[in-house]
């Protein structure tokens, strides 16, 4: 039986149990170093949401919407509330999330802790830009954080991957929209050069823009752009997935043949609708993958790795084709390949992932050493291009890649609550740190668990 606490890539099993969050300052203080880590809904792909040497604090039970002001659009909610509940709650007042990731099954606290981005980064920046206030519990007590109140800790907590403390409440400014529906336009392209030519103008003219690439078929793809419609339709869709992968497949169902067939069908379907504006429901546009429950099971028991890089404008036109070539040459097709332009709106988050430039996302079935070697190659190309690798999509990057991606990681380590640590942080920052040691003795852990349970 799989754990309730696995991460989305399922490369390693999640723990069987967790304590209920949020923890009190006393519980954190009484814990051994690195004893805890908050857990949202496990939609991170790798090990930033795991703490195998300690225990997880499951935040999903703390999920109330506290207040919403329909004049200002400011929402206050507990950190464990899922984004789909926020959408449901605010839609009747004409508001939507200012920034949304590609799934609505994530918690508000997890989304802030990863400072998620959406298809409108060029227009709105990351989610952290829209956070007005955070309530945080650390070993040294409770803190109210904002751009004015303890801005350093506020910035370290946005994108801080659960390491600065436990976010208990968030005040978020929602976005007024004319409809939840969007008016979408699809523009097929035959080469990456053609995409790069269109990307700036597409961002300038649209709230949302993202491209899908058919990695098995040269450089072709489809640029999808959209703006909210003005038809006043605020109905929210039923959130239960219409299709579901009911059980674990014995091997990955994704291979060159199935991928080729899927890509050809997808490209054909999109090309048929190209060139004209179409009104589309919000769920299909923002969350197409949510329509298939447990789709990550298609990758089989060994799971999947996602590689997401952010590459500066100056080097993107060389580095992105180089990464696509590297995966082709390695004989490893990416099932889902997404390319997007990041804008230059800075996040308050110290460890926030986006940089002005382009971001490429590749999904690979885990084929062991062969896949790991490819991912190392992708890291190398990214770092040589002056870019960075996304930590919350990662399950294996080395400490050197991390240091090159986030040279200021030491500032984050200085703000970390000593009671909190993750497997990712041990593998990267603590391996780099001369003094750092996030590991804890089993006896200390047992003692600690007894205290908080
Ligand atoms: C299909 C799919 C599409 C996605 N698309 C995007 C996308 O477009 N853009 C993007 O940016 N991301 C995307 N993601 C990634 C996902 O949105 C993020 O990883 C998200 O932050 C996960 O939230 P979660 O609630 O599942 O948190 P978890 O994955 O459980 O945890 C995330 C991090 O937050 C910390 N955390 C959780 N709760 C708290 C809390 N209360 N206090 C402090 N720290 C906390 C955890 O310790 C961990 O470090 C996608 C993921 C999937 C599966």
């Amino acid at each position: 039986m799989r754990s309730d606490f696995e991460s989305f890539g399922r490369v390693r099993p999640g723990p069987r149990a967790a304590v209920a969050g949020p923890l009190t300052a006393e519980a954190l203080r009484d814990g051994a170093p690195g004893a805890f880590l908050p857990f949202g809904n496990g939609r991170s792909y790798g090990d930033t949401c795991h703490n195998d040497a300690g225990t997880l604090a499951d935040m999903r039970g703390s999920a109330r919407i506290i207040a919403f002001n329909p004049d200002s659009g400011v929402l206050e909610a507990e950190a464990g509330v899922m984004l789909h509940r926020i959408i449901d709650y605010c839609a009747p007042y004409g508001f939507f999330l200012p920034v949304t990731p590609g799934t609505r099954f994530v918690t508000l606290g997890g989304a802030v802790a990863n400072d998620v981005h959406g298809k409108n980064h060029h227009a709105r920046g990351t989610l952290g830009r829209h956070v007005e206030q955070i309530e945080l519990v650390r070993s040294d007590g409770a803190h109210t954080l904002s751009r004015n109140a303890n801005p350093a800790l506020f910035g370290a907590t946005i994108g801080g991957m659960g390491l600065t403390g436990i976010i208990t409440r968030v005040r978020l400014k929602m976005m007024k929209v004319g409809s939840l529906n969007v008016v979408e336009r699809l523009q097929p392209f035959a080469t990456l050069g053609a995409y790069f030519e269109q990307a700036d103008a597409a961002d300038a003219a649209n709230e949302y823009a993202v491209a899908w690439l058919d990695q098995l078929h040269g450089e072709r793809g489809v640029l999808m752009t959209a703006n909210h419609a003005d038809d006043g339709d605020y109905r929210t869709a039923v959130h239960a997935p219409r299709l579901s992968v009911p059980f674990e497949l014995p091997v990955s169902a994704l291979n060159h043949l199935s991928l080729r067939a899927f890509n050809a069908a997808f490209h054909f379907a999109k090309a048929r609708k190209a060139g004209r504006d179409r009104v589309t429901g919000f769920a299909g546009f923002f969350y197409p993958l949510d329509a298939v429950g447990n789709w990550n099971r298609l990758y089989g028991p060994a799971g999947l790795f996602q590689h997401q890089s952010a590459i500066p404008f100056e080097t993107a036109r060389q580095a992105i084709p180089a990464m696509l070539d590297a995966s082709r040459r390695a004989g490893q097709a990416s099932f889902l390949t997404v390319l997007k332009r990041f804008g230059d709106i800075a996040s308050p988050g110290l460890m926030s992932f986006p940089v002005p430039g382009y971001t490429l996302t590749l999904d690979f079935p885990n084929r062991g050493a062969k896949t790991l070697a490819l991912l190392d190659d992708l890291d190398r190309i990214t770092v040589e291009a002056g870019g960075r690798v996304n930590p919350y999509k990662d399950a294996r990057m080395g400490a050197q890649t991390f240091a090159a991606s986030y040279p200021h990681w030491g500032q984050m380590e200085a703000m970390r609550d000593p009671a909190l640590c993750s497997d990712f942080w041990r593998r990267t920052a603590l391996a780099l740190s001369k003094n750092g040691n996030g590991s804890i003795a089993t006896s200390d852990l047992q003692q600690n668990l007894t205290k908080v349970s």
Side-chain angles (χ1 to χ4, degrees):
M1 210 180 66
R2 305 294 297 219
S3 143
D4 281 347
F5 306 100
E6 61 183 12
S7 65
F8 199 72
R10 306 170 83 227
V11 169
R12 289 188 299 155
R16 292 257 166 246
V19 294
L23 300 174
T24 61
E26 291 71 33
L28 291 174
R29 225 170 11 246
D30 289 349
F36 298 108
L37 183 73
F39 183 85
N41 200 34
R43 257 48 178 187
S44 299
Y45 277 69
D47 56 357
T48 52
C49 61
H50 280 165
N51 184 15
D52 285 357
T55 193
L56 299 176
D58 184 355
M59 296 300 296
R60 288 171 289 195
S62 180
R64 283 178 306 157
I65 290 176
I66 311 287
F68 179 65
N69 181 332
D71 296 322
S72 66
V74 175
L75 169 97
E76 182 165 355
E78 289 180 336
V81 69
M82 298 278 195
L83 296 190
H84 70 80
R85 280 204 47 226
I86 295 180
I87 295 169
D88 283 349
Y89 193 91
C90 297
Y93 301 100
F95 285 87
F96 186 62
L97 294 163
V99 170
T100 178
T103 173
R104 59 208 190 279
F105 298 112
V106 311
T107 63
L108 178 59
V112 171
N114 280 344
D115 196 18
V116 296
H117 56 270
K119 297 177 174 76
N120 59 350
H121 184 272
H122 57 279
R124 314 271 160 195
T126 60
L127 187 71
R129 268 198 85 238
H130 308 273
V131 171
E132 296 202 335
Q133 191 171 296
I134 294 174
E135 301 293 335
L136 188 77
V137 173
R138 283 169 67 88
S139 306
D140 60 359
H143 300 259
T144 298
L145 311 176
S146 70
R147 283 176 186 259
N148 302 318
N150 203 341
L153 189 53
F154 181 67
T157 299
I158 292 174
M161 296 179 282
L163 299 168
T164 61
I166 296 184
I167 300 170
T168 54
R169 283 190 190 190
V170 175
R171 220 179 262 178
L172 177 73
K173 188 153 170 56
M174 299 289 288
M175 177 169 74
K176 188 91 180 154
V177 290
S179 169
L180 291 194
N181 296 334
V182 296
V183 182
E184 184 188 27
R185 180 171 275 250
L186 307 172
Q187 201 59 52
F189 53 86
T191 63
L192 275 175
Y195 163 76
F196 284 124
E197 289 310 311
Q198 298 176 56
D200 283 21
D203 277 5
N206 296 284
E207 173 77 23
Y208 304 105
V210 67
W212 167 83
L213 293 180
D214 179 356
Q215 219 219 322
L216 289 186
H217 198 283
E219 295 188 339
R220 79 175 179 186
V222 180
L223 173 62
M224 297 169 252
T225 55
N227 292 294
H228 281 278
D230 234 348
D231 58 18
D233 183 354
Y234 297 109
R235 286 170 302 168
T236 53
V238 177
H239 294 116
R242 278 169 286 152
L243 298 168
S244 185
V245 181
F247 51 80
E248 176 96 68
L249 301 176
V251 290
S252 169
L254 305 172
N255 53 40
H256 253 64
L257 270 181
S258 57
L259 183 53
R260 212 175 257 285
F262 171 83
N263 280 358
F266 185 86
H267 189 85
F268 181 67
K270 294 287 182 198
R272 264 185 38 219
K273 297 173 186 160
R276 58 195 152 89
D277 290 348
R278 285 181 332 119
V279 177
T280 304
F282 82 99
F285 179 77
F286 294 107
Y287 314 114
L289 294 169
D290 285 351
V292 184
N294 300 317
W295 64 267
N296 50 351
R297 289 179 179 170
L298 287 171
Y299 286 84
L304 77 144
F305 287 106
Q306 183 166 104
H307 190 275
Q308 184 176 15
S309 52
I311 312 282
F313 287 121
E314 301 75 45
T315 49
R317 288 179 190 223
Q318 288 78 42
I320 285 169
M323 284 195 270
L324 294 169
D325 274 356
S327 56
R328 250 182 244 117
R329 272 187 281 107
Q332 306 219 40
S334 159
F335 179 56
L336 203 60
T337 308
V338 175
L339 185 54
K340 149 122 206 74
R341 190 178 170 281
F342 278 150
D344 56 7
I345 301 174
S347 165
L350 176 64
M351 296 292 288
S352 185
F353 163 66
V355 292
Y358 288 88
T359 179
L360 176 69
T361 308
L362 301 156
D363 279 4
F364 302 105
N366 174 14
R367 301 214 165 94
K370 216 174 125 187
T371 313
L372 291 172
L374 168 62
L375 293 166
D376 284 349
D377 209 21
L378 300 177
D379 285 358
R380 182 188 55 75
I381 297 169
T382 303
V383 167
E384 284 176 8
R388 50 172 58 166
V389 179
N390 187 338
Y392 56 88
K393 304 290 185 74
D394 177 73
R396 32 57 55 194
M397 85 167 80
Q400 296 308 329
T401 298
F402 173 70
S405 295
Y406 302 92
H408 53 292
W409 64 269
Q411 289 174 49
M412 180 66 202
E413 172 58 5
M415 307 288 275
R416 181 170 68 87
D417 187 317
L420 302 173
C421 201
S422 65
D423 295 345
F424 174 87
W425 202 249
R426 284 190 185 86
R427 177 160 50 79
T428 56
L430 296 192
L432 292 164
S433 157
K434 285 199 197 87
N435 313 316
N437 179 6
S439 63
I440 55 173
T442 315
S443 53
D444 290 346
L445 176 61
Q446 287 306 342
Q447 224 179 17
N448 199 57
L449 289 177
T450 322
K451 279 180 203 155
V452 292
S453 55

